[in-house]
Amino acid sequence: MSYWFRNDNRLPQARLAIASYIIVGMIGVLLLGFWKLQVIDADKYSSLAERNRVRYIPVIAPRGRMLDREGRVLVDNRPSFSVLLLRDDLAQVQKHLAGISEGLGIPLDDLHDQLNNAKNLPKFQPIIIKPDASPADVAFIESHRSDIPVLEMIPVHRRRYLPGGFFAHAAGYVGEVSEQQIEASNGRLRPGDFAGKSGLERQYNDLLQGTDGMRRVVVNSVGKEVDRLATQEAISGKQILLTIDYDLQQVAEQALGARPGAAVALDPRTGEVLAMVSHPTLDPNDFAVRISANDWKSLNEDRQKPLLNRAIQAQLAPGSVFKIVTATAMLEDKNPPESFTTFCPGYATFYGRQFKCYIYGKGSHGVAGLHKAVLESCDIFFYNVGMRLGIDRLSYYGSKFGLGRKTGIDLPEELAGLMPSAEWVERVYHRKWYAGETISVAIGQGAVITTPLQLARMIGGIASGGVFKQPHLLKDALNVGEERVALSEATVEKITDAMYGVVNEEGGTARNVRLPGIEVSGKSGTAQVIGYATREKFGKQKKFEDNAWFVGYAPRRNPEIVVAVLVQESGKHGGEAAGPVVKEVIKAYYDKKNKKTQGQETAESKQPDPRNTPARVAATAPRSALKPEESAAVVPARASAEPRR
């Protein structure tokens, strides 16, 4: 055998060995890959496979309803559909984005923005691209399920508010959550979710907002549902019972009408808010889906400020309603003494400047003491009292009665107003307080500003003997705050008698508010927006007209209801413009109360008297007085300083 022949026999064996090693190595790599797929990455690929055939669709929890004190619905939900964009396959999403934009009427830029906002979310988590689908949207999605499989619909419950902006500011509205809200929610909120943005919707959002569930469905290759798996049910939000009385709210809304202003009705015994109105108002139904940028801009730029809840945010001079603070301070400090009187010719000079009474040019109040000064709202009398008390004592009592600080009502964004003092002007303006400024504050002008809610609480607290309850809208609220101010019985009696006279005695500034058989009491106020001299320079523009106030309550002692009404830019006296609104609300309260009382008496009259039941009659009557047929019978029982007032 030659060398070359033997060499030729060896060559295939070497090559075969090399090939064998290569094959074994490849098999090892494959086995390693299979092991990695089946063991290490099993959960990952199992999840991906599951995701291809199982679709996770959120089940949106309905928000809780808001009910009035008698269980009548104030805020409810309505059924609707939201459109979901499934983002499992982003290539498919990009492919169909133009068609989705055209079919659903959503601007393409808006879709891109929504995708960008959700880029940090897991891809399997769908996003809501249209919160409220129209019938045309539903038809489009159903007819394009096979060729646009990235769209899905889910049933949702949209907020439904009473029409015409009824109870709108207090109820508030919901809106799509912001990025800040999402970050602060610890994963509870997602883009497209809705949450309370203002009013009670925001205050009690955690109670009203339920917990979303999840529905799992099996889909085929074109995204069509073929089977359903276990569903995690949504937990509805809790409904809340409010202190609001629908009937009083309706009367207040109608009585105030289209005029800008506010009305607040309280039960001063408990702090319960019976009605809260602010006009002009917004329609919270516009926010229930997604308000347009143009509508939002229009609301913010409107001179009438419809977004402002005037009941708790209108910081305005209270006018002559503040005279009750001045009068109470006078009686408590005995400075000047209770017997103090002054002559009012219609004007007076203080610190070298002439101050006028509202009656200037129309007559004179003559000699006025405290009772007459409150009754007829004599500015000259209170100028003199304020001068003697000084700003520090006025500030002390005003602050004690809740002016210049929040009432603590369970609504967000309440404003505090301002009760000025010498310390305040030094701290803010770095100057001393001028004695002449006290003259203005004494009649509710100058730097003092309040809200309608503060005035309602103040008057109710004084008339209740110095007991000031924390206003609240949640019925049966726990830990309702209470403040007590030590007021003598004599002071309370004189102040309440004077406020009763404002409505019921000759010369009172609100005689038109009288109600037969009801001890309506109160105080009117008319507050200027700017000085009359300045107003003359600008001309008589509507926005510079006087604001009208009236705070009324009933009965005269220990009131059951107090109503504060503000009518802005009325150009009329408080008793004339705001008084009738107070009158209507108090009348509605007593009409309802009397009707309820009569109904109870009627029901009681229909109940048999236990003393006259057949068994008792038979047992107590002489045997000869009862016939057999009568023994079964039931015997029914009967049953800047300008003159303001």
Side-chain angles (χ1 to χ4, degrees):
M1 186 178 291
S2 67
Y3 171 80
W4 290 106
F5 184 77
R6 284 185 282 110
N7 194 43
D8 287 340
N9 287 337
R10 290 175 181 175
L11 285 174
Q13 292 178 0
R15 291 173 182 171
L16 214 64
I18 293 171
S20 299
Y21 290 136
I22 293 173
I23 291 170
V24 170
M26 291 178 65
I27 292 173
V29 171
L30 288 174
L31 289 174
L32 182 64
F34 283 132
W35 179 77
K36 186 174 183 293
L37 286 172
Q38 294 295 325
V39 179
I40 297 179
D41 294 335
D43 292 340
K44 173 185 175 182
Y45 289 104
S46 175
S47 176
L48 290 173
E50 181 77 2
R51 221 174 282 160
N52 284 333
R53 75 178 193 95
V54 178
R55 181 171 292 167
Y56 294 83
I57 302 172
V59 180
I60 307 301
R63 286 177 73 83
R65 301 186 302 171
M66 295 185 195
L67 311 178
D68 90 328
R69 64 191 301 114
E70 296 178 6
R72 292 170 290 189
V73 179
L74 296 173
V75 180
D76 202 356
N77 301 300
R78 62 176 176 84
S80 177
F81 285 97
S82 286
V83 181
L84 292 181
L85 181 64
L86 308 174
R87 303 177 305 120
D88 305 68
D89 189 340
L90 289 179
Q92 282 285 323
V93 172
Q94 293 296 334
K95 175 183 175 182
H96 296 295
L97 214 56
I100 294 171
S101 172
E102 183 179 354
L104 297 180
I106 305 174
L108 193 57
D109 290 341
D110 189 14
L111 287 175
H112 283 299
D113 289 342
Q114 293 190 57
L115 283 172
N116 287 332
N117 292 335
K119 63 184 178 182
N120 293 326
L121 295 175
K123 291 182 180 179
F124 64 86
Q125 185 171 313
I127 60 172
I128 296 175
I129 58 173
K130 196 163 190 179
D132 198 21
S134 66
D137 296 330
V138 175
F140 172 78
I141 294 170
E142 291 295 337
S143 62
H144 290 79
R145 281 197 177 276
S146 59
D147 51 314
I148 307 182
V150 295
L151 291 180
E152 185 59 77
M153 288 186 303
I154 56 171
V156 294
H157 300 268
R158 293 294 168 207
R159 234 25 181 166
R160 177 169 60 192
Y161 302 90
L162 294 175
F166 186 92
F167 189 56
H169 283 95
Y173 59 85
V174 296
E176 194 167 344
V177 293
S178 62
E179 292 183 10
Q180 293 79 7
Q181 286 177 302
I182 294 173
E183 292 174 0
S185 69
N186 294 323
R188 185 180 179 188
L189 298 176
R190 306 178 300 270
D193 285 350
F194 279 70
K197 292 288 187 176
S198 72
L200 291 166
E201 292 279 23
R202 176 177 164 185
Q203 181 74 22
Y204 293 112
N205 184 69
D206 291 343
L207 281 176
L208 295 168
Q209 192 167 43
T211 303
D212 293 345
M214 187 66 70
R215 182 164 60 93
R216 297 195 307 154
V217 297
V218 179
V219 296
N220 58 20
S221 59
V222 295
K224 184 177 181 181
E225 182 179 326
V226 295
D227 195 9
R228 293 188 179 185
L229 301 177
T231 298
Q232 178 185 346
E233 298 294 338
I235 302 174
S236 300
K238 296 179 181 179
Q239 68 180 17
I240 57 176
L241 188 67
L242 303 179
T243 61
I244 293 294
D245 187 310
Y246 175 88
D247 301 313
L248 297 189
Q249 181 75 23
Q250 187 175 45
V251 169
E253 297 265 6
Q254 294 175 348
L256 187 60
R259 296 174 295 177
V264 180
L266 294 176
D267 183 341
R269 300 168 299 180
T270 62
E272 293 181 350
V273 179
L274 305 176
M276 179 176 284
V277 178
S278 177
H279 288 173
T281 187
L282 67 158
D283 187 351
N285 289 297
D286 294 340
F287 295 81
V289 182
R290 185 180 288 162
I291 191 168
S292 68
N294 288 334
D295 288 343
W296 178 247
K297 181 180 178 182
S298 177
L299 285 171
N300 280 279
E301 294 179 352
D302 192 331
R303 190 187 74 82
Q304 294 288 345
K305 298 182 179 179
L307 293 174
L308 184 74
N309 184 355
R310 287 167 165 78
I312 62 172
Q313 295 176 321
Q315 300 182 108
L316 299 168
S320 292
V321 178
F322 187 85
K323 291 174 181 175
I324 299 303
V325 177
T326 308
T328 305
M330 167 188 164
L331 292 173
E332 286 296 293
D333 282 7
K334 298 179 172 54
N335 180 26
E338 181 187 333
S339 59
F340 174 77
T341 61
T342 187
F343 179 75
C344 171
Y347 63 91
T349 301
F350 301 93
Y351 307 108
R353 179 185 169 190
Q354 187 182 85
F355 291 81
K356 298 176 181 177
C357 185
Y358 84 88
I359 205 170
Y360 179 78
K362 303 175 184 177
S364 167
H365 283 125
V367 177
L370 178 63
H371 188 85
K372 181 179 179 180
V374 174
L375 218 72
E376 301 181 6
S377 202
C378 177
D379 295 319
I380 304 302
F381 179 88
F382 286 101
Y383 289 152
N384 279 279
V385 174
M387 180 182 67
R388 287 163 171 77
L389 283 169
I391 188 58
D392 287 338
R393 296 311 291 168
L394 289 176
S395 180
Y396 171 81
Y397 282 99
S399 299
K400 280 286 188 181
F401 298 154
L403 303 186
R405 54 191 174 92
K406 298 177 181 179
T407 66
I409 189 172
D410 48 348
L411 283 176
E413 300 179 348
E414 180 189 12
L415 297 180
L418 174 65
M419 185 63 239
S421 66
E423 180 275 331
W424 165 79
V425 81
E426 175 67 30
R427 173 169 43 85
V428 176
Y429 294 105
H430 308 292
R431 66 169 177 82
K432 67 175 184 178
W433 178 269
Y434 299 114
E437 295 175 283
T438 308
I439 305 301
S440 300
V441 172
I443 64 164
Q445 294 281 178
V448 59
I449 52 176
T450 62
T451 66
L453 181 62
Q454 284 178 340
L455 292 184
R457 179 176 181 267
M458 180 192 81
I459 295 297
I462 293 174
S464 299
V467 181
F468 298 81
K469 290 285 188 177
Q470 178 184 357
H472 59 278
L473 285 153
L474 186 66
K475 195 80 170 73
D476 300 324
L478 301 176
N479 303 318
V480 175
E482 177 185 296
E483 295 180 23
R484 290 180 176 267
V485 179
L487 297 177
S488 67
E489 291 186 14
T491 294
V492 175
E493 182 177 351
K494 289 178 174 60
I495 294 296
T496 52
D497 283 348
M499 288 194 284
Y500 176 80
V502 168
V503 177
N504 298 282
E505 295 181 19
E506 288 297 329
T509 57
R511 295 267 292 161
N512 58 321
V513 183
R514 285 175 298 169
L515 283 170
I518 302 174
E519 291 184 325
V520 180
S521 309
K523 185 69 188 79
S524 60
T526 311
Q528 65 194 70
V529 178
I530 61 173
Y532 290 149
T534 307
R535 190 167 73 179
E536 290 298 326
K537 295 179 182 178
F538 289 101
K540 293 185 178 181
Q541 301 180 37
K542 180 67 175 176
K543 63 182 180 181
F544 297 140
E545 293 288 344
D546 293 341
N547 295 325
W549 292 91
F550 190 80
V551 184
Y553 65 90
R556 183 188 340 190
R557 304 272 196 272
N558 300 315
E560 301 174 13
I561 182 173
V562 55
V563 186
V565 173
L566 161 70
V567 180
Q568 288 185 265
E569 304 172 355
S570 70
K572 298 179 180 179
H573 294 301
E576 182 182 358
V581 181
V582 175
K583 178 180 180 179
E584 290 299 318
V585 175
I586 292 179
K587 181 178 183 299
Y589 173 84
Y590 276 96
D591 285 348
K592 186 171 183 177
K593 179 182 177 181
N594 294 335
K595 185 177 180 181
K596 187 180 295 185
T597 302
Q598 291 172 1
Q600 290 175 347
E601 291 176 351
T602 302
E604 290 173 359
S605 69
K606 294 180 180 180
Q607 297 295 322
D609 189 334
R611 295 170 299 179
N612 294 328
T613 57
R616 184 168 179 80
V617 171
T620 56
R623 295 186 182 275
S624 59
L626 284 174
K627 298 179 181 179
E629 62 272 18
E630 291 175 335
S631 64
V634 177
V635 181
R638 296 183 61 84
S640 317
E642 287 285 351
R644 302 289 85 221
R645 66 167 176 167

